Amino acid sequence: MKWWKDVMGMELRKILAYRSDFWITFLGQTFIQLMVARALWQAIFETQGVSEMQGFTLEMMGLYYLIAPIGMKILNGPNFGFLAQEIYDGTFTRYLLYPLSVFQYKTLTYLTYSLFYSLQMIILLGIYRLFISEVAFTSVDVGHLFLGLLLFIIGAIAYCMMGMMIEMIALWADNIWSLAVMLRFFTSFFGGALIPITFLPVWAQNILVWTPFPYLLSLPIRTIMGLSTFQEVTQGALILMLWTLIFMEGVKLVWKKGQFKYTGVGI
Amino acid sequence: MRRYLMLYLYFLRFSFSKAMEFRLDFSFRILMDILYYIVNILFFKIIFLHTPMLAGWTEEQMMIFVSCYILVDAISMTVFSSNMWWLPHHINRGELDYHLIRPVSPLFFLSLKEFSANSFLNLVIALGILIYSLVNYSQPFTVADVLLLVILILNGTLIYYCCQMLMILPVFWTQSSKGFMDLFFSMGIAMERPDRIFKGWLRVMFTILLPFALIASFPARLFIEKFHWPTFMHLTAVSIVLWMVMLFIWRKGLRAYSSASS
């Protein structure tokens, strides 16, 4: 347990090392994405002359696009290269001396970021409710908020495993940055960060339920907004856990095949 | 001028030979950019399943706008992106000295040295998307209209470059540009939306202060709608002022540069 605390504490200090960066990213990035999305949907609502689309009012759409980018950050954890960079630098070897495996260590550091961004989400939701739009929060309550965040954290573990599989391709390829970006595109689009997936054609939605993407983003967002039933949440959590197990097996397989490729020299 | 052109040809040659060394990355980068194009096209296709017009444009008009910003992105990724990635590192590590003592403009060298050969194919694909959307456009247009559109897209790329530089240059004073760069990429989404959706202070910000909405939206407007002098003058004036502001901050930054690494 002590290792957990040490690793997470160290990672937290890293996150807060550049405070100006932290605040610019925290407030600026979220606020701008929200404003641009809101402007787009306002134009669509005005053109259509409706007050609700696919179950979303304009206020709810604002809340959706506040949660979506921070939700993406919770999933993305420490961002690209959390494993690949060390393979390239040849510093991967140091984990041989650590009292916990490289995968445990990396999952812990990943979760530190995810938990930290979850806290950011709580703060931002509070600010949004107090100063911007109370109307959007009619169906939001503390219970739904924590269930949604729990789904995000389970999703972050699944996404971390997916990320690890891709990052370990660095044992063969010279640059996996593009692959990681592709995973982000898929998650962002098919998870519902760009557009709520209820706006997708029904046939596409029916295909997506067989992938992890709607459970990674859309379900937690809808849960926080109070739009999911308890049954949907538990079902989603179980599906995410199943995907996590599948990706963990994938990580083991890639590592088994690739560990002998590691030279420890760096490029 | 000839010396700079020759120098750029050398940059191209080195970049292509370097890209060929990392063949797998070469293919990944192509796939990544294609996926980016598909996601952006699909995004608007889905929006148009729920509305016949957006910001006064129909779907075929929106596709011209989408192909404009895809092309700006492709040019930027090919010509500037690697250089923009390394610039804050050079400043932070005190490596700018090597560039300051060369007998060429350091801004030219640092902005154009790395040509992303692996994005070059995507530039061709992006151009293909623009041609496709023009061919399928039902309204009449002339060769002069297309020529103007191409010039304005190039101008949009310059605006994009200036905005990115404005977000990188604070590194001369702040030691880290990560926050500002994250902000830049977030603001980049304003380039991917038609400018008419922005109202009030948001419009002032995206059409004058940090003119992301001018990058592709104004060129598309000048092509799709009747040529409008005030829009053209706005675009020209903001581009010139932005370039001058960027140069001013670059020079200020160089004066603040300490050569010490951090």
Side-chain angles (χ1 to χ4, degrees):
Chain A
M1 188 65 191
K2 190 176 176 297
W3 298 119
W4 288 45
K5 271 196 232 162
D6 289 344
V7 172
M8 289 177 120
M10 196 173 65
E11 215 52 39
L12 196 62
R13 280 197 293 277
K14 270 193 220 167
I15 297 172
L16 294 167
Y18 289 103
R19 279 161 211 265
S20 61
D21 279 355
F22 168 76
W23 284 107
I24 292 164
T25 309
F26 177 39
L27 292 174
Q29 200 180 12
T30 312
F31 194 60
I32 283 172
Q33 288 196 355
L34 168 68
M35 287 296 123
V36 172
R38 207 188 141 87
L40 176 77
W41 285 100
Q42 190 163 3
I44 296 171
F45 273 78
E46 279 172 11
T47 309
Q48 287 295 82
V50 292
S51 58
E52 194 180 307
M53 288 179 85
Q54 306 292 311
F56 286 90
T57 63
L58 185 59
E59 292 300 327
M60 285 164 77
M61 207 53 108
L63 183 59
Y64 187 95
Y65 282 99
L66 174 74
I67 301 170
I70 319 174
M72 271 305 284
K73 287 176 85 172
I74 295 175
L75 293 182
N76 283 322
N79 222 334
F80 310 124
F82 68 98
L83 207 60
Q85 197 53 50
E86 301 205 49
I87 294 172
Y88 294 136
D89 293 344
T91 53
F92 203 62
T93 325
R94 66 187 168 131
Y95 294 103
L96 291 171
L97 304 170
Y98 281 25
L100 67 172
S101 85
V102 57
F103 300 110
Q104 284 173 325
Y105 182 87
K106 287 294 171 187
T107 311
L108 272 180
T109 55
Y110 202 98
L111 273 178
T112 312
Y113 279 86
S114 302
L115 288 169
F116 185 75
Y117 293 134
S118 303
L119 191 68
Q120 276 194 350
M121 185 184 286
I122 296 172
I123 296 169
L124 272 178
L125 285 172
I127 294 172
Y128 194 75
R129 186 192 166 125
L130 278 176
F131 301 106
I132 302 173
S133 171
E134 209 186 318
V135 191
F137 284 78
T138 42
S139 49
V140 181
D141 57 49
V142 180
H144 277 105
L145 174 64
F146 281 97
L147 273 179
L149 286 177
L150 186 67
L151 279 175
F152 266 130
I153 297 298
I154 300 171
I157 299 170
Y159 201 76
C160 171
M161 295 302 141
M162 260 200 272
M164 270 187 194
M165 272 200 297
I166 287 178
E167 298 265 332
M168 275 196 297
I169 294 175
L171 291 162
W172 292 273
D174 302 303
N175 196 338
I176 53 90
W177 173 79
S178 327
L179 282 179
V181 175
M182 277 191 262
L183 175 64
R184 187 175 287 193
F185 282 155
F186 270 112
T187 313
S188 174
F189 189 73
F190 295 117
L194 281 181
I195 192 162
I197 51 176
T198 47
F199 280 79
L200 266 58
V202 180
W203 62 264
Q205 291 182 45
N206 289 338
I207 294 173
L208 280 180
V209 292
W210 296 99
T211 71
F213 301 114
Y215 309 103
L216 288 170
L217 264 174
S218 181
L219 181 68
I221 299 174
R222 291 177 65 83
T223 305
I224 291 174
M225 291 176 74
L227 302 174
S228 306
T229 61
F230 189 71
Q231 194 194 344
E232 284 173 316
V233 174
T234 43
Q235 200 180 334
L238 285 172
I239 292 171
L240 273 177
M241 283 177 200
L242 186 67
W243 276 111
T244 309
L245 288 175
I246 294 169
F247 295 135
M248 274 170 90
E249 287 307 310
V251 170
K252 279 186 203 164
L253 189 72
V254 179
W255 177 238
K256 201 176 155 188
K257 297 260 177 204
Q259 58 184 310
F260 300 110
K261 296 270 176 189
Y262 180 66
T263 59
V265 178
I267 56 170
Chain B
M1 186 67 191
R2 193 170 172 273
R3 190 162 61 106
Y4 280 90
L5 201 65
M6 289 301 289
L7 196 58
Y8 196 68
L9 286 175
Y10 279 115
F11 290 165
L12 287 182
R13 195 190 298 169
F14 288 136
S15 301
F16 272 100
S17 27
K18 213 159 89 179
M20 286 302 144
E21 277 179 48
F22 303 102
R23 281 160 206 246
L24 206 55
D25 179 48
F26 189 83
S27 336
F28 288 163
R29 280 281 284 265
I30 292 166
L31 278 177
M32 178 189 77
D33 284 345
I34 290 173
L35 192 64
Y36 168 76
Y37 304 154
I38 293 172
V39 163
N40 277 279
I41 292 168
L42 277 183
F43 176 78
F44 283 101
K45 289 267 179 207
I46 290 167
I47 295 248
F48 276 95
L49 288 178
H50 300 273
T51 180
M53 300 272 281
L54 177 59
W57 287 341
T58 59
E59 190 177 338
E60 63 167 8
Q61 290 170 330
M62 193 59 76
M63 283 307 129
I64 289 182
F65 162 67
V66 173
S67 50
C68 284
Y69 77 70
I70 279 178
L71 188 56
V72 168
D73 177 80
I75 301 171
S76 301
M77 285 294 285
T78 310
V79 181
F80 301 116
S81 69
S82 298
N83 302 290
M84 297 294 106
W85 172 261
W86 287 112
L87 183 57
H89 296 270
H90 289 318
I91 297 169
N92 244 341
R93 292 177 189 164
E95 292 169 359
L96 220 56
D97 309 20
Y98 306 113
H99 303 284
L100 294 176
I101 54 168
R102 288 174 206 263
V104 281
S105 154
L107 187 62
F108 169 84
F109 200 92
L110 288 159
S111 304
L112 297 171
K113 184 177 160 248
E114 299 270 348
F115 179 91
S116 301
N118 40 13
S119 288
F120 183 69
L121 186 66
N122 296 104
L123 181 59
V124 178
I125 295 170
L127 198 63
I129 295 171
L130 178 68
I131 293 169
Y132 179 82
S133 52
L134 288 175
V135 168
N136 285 289
Y137 188 51
S138 59
Q139 301 300 312
F141 58 85
T142 62
V143 176
D145 292 332
V146 177
L147 202 63
L148 179 70
L149 181 68
V150 172
I151 292 168
L152 293 180
I153 287 173
L154 292 176
N155 182 65
T157 311
L158 188 73
I159 296 176
Y160 188 81
Y161 163 76
C162 288
C163 289
Q164 194 167 8
M165 283 296 280
L166 287 177
M167 294 288 171
I168 289 173
L169 293 179
V171 76
F172 276 114
W173 297 274
T174 62
Q175 276 75 51
S176 167
S177 66
K178 190 185 173 298
F180 281 105
M181 282 311 285
D182 284 349
L183 194 63
F184 169 78
F185 289 117
S186 304
M187 283 187 168
I189 201 161
M191 166 181 91
E192 299 167 4
R193 304 288 177 259
D195 72 281
R196 281 208 185 93
I197 66 165
F198 301 121
K199 296 192 174 99
W201 65 268
L202 209 55
R203 182 160 188 84
V204 174
M205 186 163 90
F206 288 134
T207 58
I208 297 171
L209 301 176
L210 282 166
F212 284 91
L214 303 192
I215 295 171
S217 198
F218 272 39
R221 259 171 71 176
L222 287 165
F223 177 82
I224 293 164
E225 298 161 17
K226 203 178 156 197
F227 186 83
H228 187 234
W229 272 105
T231 307
F232 181 76
M233 293 310 288
H234 178 164
L235 183 59
T236 313
V238 172
S239 307
I240 293 169
V241 171
L242 190 70
W243 174 253
M244 286 163 70
V245 169
M246 190 276 290
L247 278 184
F248 175 76
I249 298 176
W250 165 252
R251 282 175 194 141
K252 281 268 172 203
L254 282 184
R255 265 183 229 130
Y257 174 65
S258 63
S259 242
S261 59
S262 72

